[in-house]
Amino acid sequence: AISGSCLLTSSGKLDLTEANIGDNTFLDCIALTSINIPSSVTSIGNSVFNGCSSLASITIHDSIDYIGTFAFASTAYYENFANWEGNLLYLNNWLIAARTSSNGEYIIKDSIRGVAFNVFQNCIVRTINSESLIPPIISGGSTGLGINNLFTVNVSCQALSAYLSNHDWMVLNVQAIPYTVELSVNDAD
């Protein structure tokens, strides 16, 4: 695993070759502006880039199967409101952060590979609507969402069996998305 201090090229860029980036490795490294996390990396620990306030460009690949708590918090990427989709922050095909929603509802978009550890920490969640047909990886397993209250996960009818057979999702309150059928009645005179 990579561990150590903030050692960068003169351009403020960093390229990694190790499989795991350990907790706090680049914590508060304000000189870091860009990172390309190659496909050889599978795990990004807790607070790895937290506080890297100049880090605006981040590339990760499909090889990632774990992202820790606050891995990218307080980076330029995180602080840029344009990168947020409502109350959720995605990095490539990972959900990496959530902000409190006024109604407690969150929509996880389609084609998400994974959800970072404790992504919903400090949020009151009533409902998660997942548009993904394939259950995303939950870093840390079913308790890794960081939710301390009862909530429901709604998925499409097509995805229901996949979620109910997935070890991360099967213990959660997963159900098919409720829908309403509207019927109109025409009066025949």
Side-chain angles (χ1 to χ4, degrees):
I2 295 175
S3 61
S5 62
C6 182
L7 300 175
L8 306 173
T9 65
S10 60
S11 66
K13 295 184 178 184
L14 178 68
D15 283 314
L16 303 170
T17 57
E18 299 287 329
N20 301 306
I21 306 172
D23 295 351
N24 306 312
T25 300
F26 300 102
L27 181 68
D28 296 325
C29 181
I30 60 173
L32 183 60
T33 60
S34 175
I35 186 157
N36 176 21
I37 300 173
S39 58
S40 60
V41 173
T42 59
S43 177
I44 301 170
N46 299 320
S47 296
V48 169
F49 300 102
N50 191 344
C52 297
S53 56
S54 300
L55 181 57
S57 176
I58 306 166
T59 303
I60 63 173
H61 297 275
D62 285 344
S63 59
I64 300 294
D65 59 22
Y66 181 90
I67 295 179
T69 304
F70 304 126
F72 299 97
S74 300
T75 61
Y77 182 85
Y78 181 97
E79 298 298 335
N80 184 344
F81 187 72
N83 291 330
W84 287 78
E85 296 183 29
N87 293 318
L88 299 176
L89 180 63
Y90 295 95
L91 178 58
N92 296 33
N93 57 0
W94 274 80
L95 173 58
I96 62 167
R99 291 186 175 149
T100 299
S101 165
S102 61
N103 64 3
E105 293 185 17
Y106 296 87
I107 298 173
I108 298 177
K109 67 182 185 178
D110 189 21
S111 302
I112 290 303
R113 176 165 167 68
V115 179
F117 188 67
N118 282 337
V119 76
F120 291 105
Q121 184 175 339
N122 302 321
C123 296
I124 298 199
V125 178
R126 286 188 15 235
T127 306
I128 295 174
N129 296 310
S130 180
E131 296 177 346
S132 187
L133 293 177
I134 300 170
I137 297 166
I138 302 175
S139 296
S142 60
T143 59
L145 292 174
I147 302 172
N148 295 319
N149 58 285
L150 296 175
F151 66 99
T152 301
V153 179
N154 292 323
V155 299
S156 72
C157 291
Q158 300 155 302
L160 185 60
S161 65
Y163 279 79
L164 293 176
S165 62
N166 179 284
H167 66 281
D168 288 345
W169 293 91
M170 67 185 350
V171 296
L172 302 174
N173 185 17
V174 177
Q175 64 183 22
I177 295 173
Y179 63 92
T180 305
V181 176
E182 292 184 25
L183 299 173
S184 61
V185 178
N186 294 330
D187 289 331
D189 291 326

